[in-house]
Amino acid sequence: MEYRISIVDDSGTSILTAEMVLDDDNNDGLVSLYDEVTEQHVITGIYDGFVRFEIPAFTAGDVNYHSAAITISDSTDEVLNISSSGTNDNFFLSDTKS
């Protein structure tokens, strides 16, 4: 499955220096690539009902960013739970699978 995540600063500008890491039983230390056309960080990995992306701490310009994580998990056969931690704007979403 291909995952595309936009990582932006307070003004909505894409942060190129950030990276995501997917390291679990099904995905062995995958690191995102930055797609300059879509301005998204991209990882292709296996999804088996749960996946957690780690975003290590990094610096962009003169701003230091803390580490964060994004978790996607099955809620039902048709709904995904999506949550984040380690950010000022933690969120929790449910979305239908497509």
Side-chain angles (χ1 to χ4, degrees):
M1 176 173 285
E2 183 176 87
Y3 302 95
R4 294 180 161 270
I5 306 291
S6 296
I7 301 175
V8 298
D9 64 16
D10 287 340
S11 65
T13 302
S14 291
I15 301 175
L16 294 93
T17 56
E19 66 178 24
M20 297 186 311
V21 178
L22 180 54
D23 189 14
D24 59 23
D25 292 341
N26 295 316
N27 303 284
D28 189 24
L30 302 176
V31 178
S32 63
L33 299 174
Y34 186 75
D35 182 336
E36 293 183 16
V37 175
T38 63
E39 297 183 338
Q40 295 173 319
H41 298 268
V42 182
I43 291 182
T44 301
I46 297 170
Y47 179 77
D48 68 352
F50 178 87
V51 70
R52 179 179 171 91
F53 300 98
E54 299 288 338
I55 304 170
F58 63 94
T59 300
D62 60 350
V63 179
N64 296 319
Y65 292 88
H66 295 279
S67 61
I70 300 170
T71 303
I72 303 171
S73 61
D74 287 346
S75 176
T76 66
D77 287 341
E78 297 178 4
V79 177
L80 291 172
N81 289 328
I82 305 166
S83 62
S84 73
S85 63
T87 64
N88 289 337
D89 298 317
N90 290 339
F91 62 90
F92 182 85
L93 301 171
S94 290
D95 199 1
T96 55
K97 296 179 184 179
S98 57

